[in-house]
Amino acid sequence: MKSGEKSKLNSLGFAKPESETRVVVAMSGGVDSSVCAALLAQQGYDVVGVTLQLYDHGEAIQKAKACCAGQDIYDAQRVAEMMGFPHYVLDYESNFKESVIDDFADTYLQGATPIPCVRCNQTVKFRDLLQVAKDLDADCMATGHYIRRVEGPNGPELHRAHDGGKDQSYFLFATTKAQLDFLRFPLGAMDKSETRKLASEMGLNVASKPDSQDICFVPTGKYTDVIEKLRPEAATPGNIVHMDGTVLGTHRGVMYYTIGQRRGLGLPDGSGADPLFVVRIDADKGEVIVGPRKALERSQLWLTDINWIGQGEFGPELDGMAIKVKVRSTRPPAPAHLRLSGNHIIVELDTPDMGLSPGQACVFYANDDQAARTLGGGWITRTE
């Protein structure tokens, strides 16, 4: 190479041939991670596929099509065999149970609403599996998430996916700067339809496999089935109390209720002229507090465990900063402001929202028309 000549980077950002660039790909057995691995292998990278066995199907649930079930492991192995790269299955049941499943159950019992997919990315995948990738002397780890890693003037940035309907930035807000430096997301610029088309063109056995709609260890989306099995002693009855202090009835246990719930309260006829909603859960007192729909509105969110991947450090100089936030994965980013007062980190929503609960994530985005760059986020501990 001539003096001063800039090295040519491959598609993953390394100044060496694809064949000398080792990539560990996290493979769930679904179409996205399969296409991710197959594309990289097709491009000539030194691909190593890894699938995590995350739970004992019989211990907590039984669900044949969960993302980590036996069929999915088999599907990942088939893709690896077809594309000619090694594939390993690692037993991470104990890690997953401690970091994700137990946290899920305990958070519900505290009257909060957990997001286990964020915890899984934050711990098992981007902490434990990432370390495995480094132990395998990988240059990077790739996943099939729909999100974009963009090289900015001060290092890699996390941006929303090209396919807004599949964007997974909400679930990846806890990705640290160090992790982002090592991660790659080859599908971030694609539409889901394009991914399926590629799977079909490459002849992958998962081309028509349906997407997983539920949390992988929760059958048919019924969270209480899992909690009942993991914490059978936790179904403690208590009072359903109106915001004005009136006891309206009793409940089977706080774990059966979520903020914003209207149906299934089990209240006698005439409990209120207007429809009643769960507006708050007091797990310490064992009370479910109900009130009118208007009482669900919240404009201030108290946060903890902030992960900041924006410009500079997270500190007092950000007080008053205009940002956009997501408080649900399916909503577009909405205008808000950061407030930092002493040890308190507060997000003020420009427009009040409903049904927000402790335990949920509040994800920060740049305050521009596209709101593409993800700046991090935190966990909601309190709402007002």
Side-chain angles (χ1 to χ4, degrees), residues 4-70:
E5 183 179 343
K6 188 175 181 180
S7 301
K8 182 179 179 182
L9 303 181
N10 59 34
S11 64
L12 295 180
F14 298 98
K16 55 183 175 179
E18 288 82 357
S19 60
E20 297 176 13
T21 305
R22 175 166 291 179
V23 189
V24 166
V25 181
M27 300 183 68
S28 68
V31 63
D32 297 326
S33 61
S34 296
V35 168
C36 174
L39 271 178
L40 293 173
Q42 194 177 68
Q43 292 167 10
Y45 287 99
D46 177 12
V47 172
V48 178
V50 177
T51 300
L52 301 181
Q53 171 67 45
L54 295 180
Y55 54 83
D56 178 346
H57 308 150
E59 180 181 349
I61 64 144
Q62 289 188 6
K63 183 183 178 188
K65 293 187 177 180
C67 72
C68 313

Side-chain angles (χ1 to χ4, degrees), residues 164-186:
K166 288 295 182 180
D167 171 63
Q168 292 174 292
S169 58
Y170 182 83
F171 299 105
L172 298 175
F173 82 89
T175 306
T176 66
K177 292 179 180 179
Q179 291 168 345
L180 187 56
D181 189 56
F182 193 72
L183 289 165
R184 299 294 187 274
F185 308 104

Side-chain angles (χ1 to χ4, degrees), residues 23 26 29 66 103 113 119 123 142 149 152 167 175 184 221 257 260 274 283 314 317 337 361:
V23 189
D103 176 80
T113 304
R119 291 296 188 195
T123 56
R149 178 187 182 276
D167 171 63
T175 306
R184 299 294 187 274
Y257 300 85
D274 297 320
F314 189 84
E317 63 275 8
H337 286 79

Side-chain angles (χ1 to χ4, degrees), residues 74-93:
Y74 171 75
D75 288 341
Q77 290 173 330
R78 284 278 307 277
V79 170
E81 290 171 2
M82 178 180 174
M83 299 304 297
F85 60 82
H87 174 264
Y88 302 98
V89 179
L90 304 181
D91 183 352
Y92 268 55
E93 288 183 14

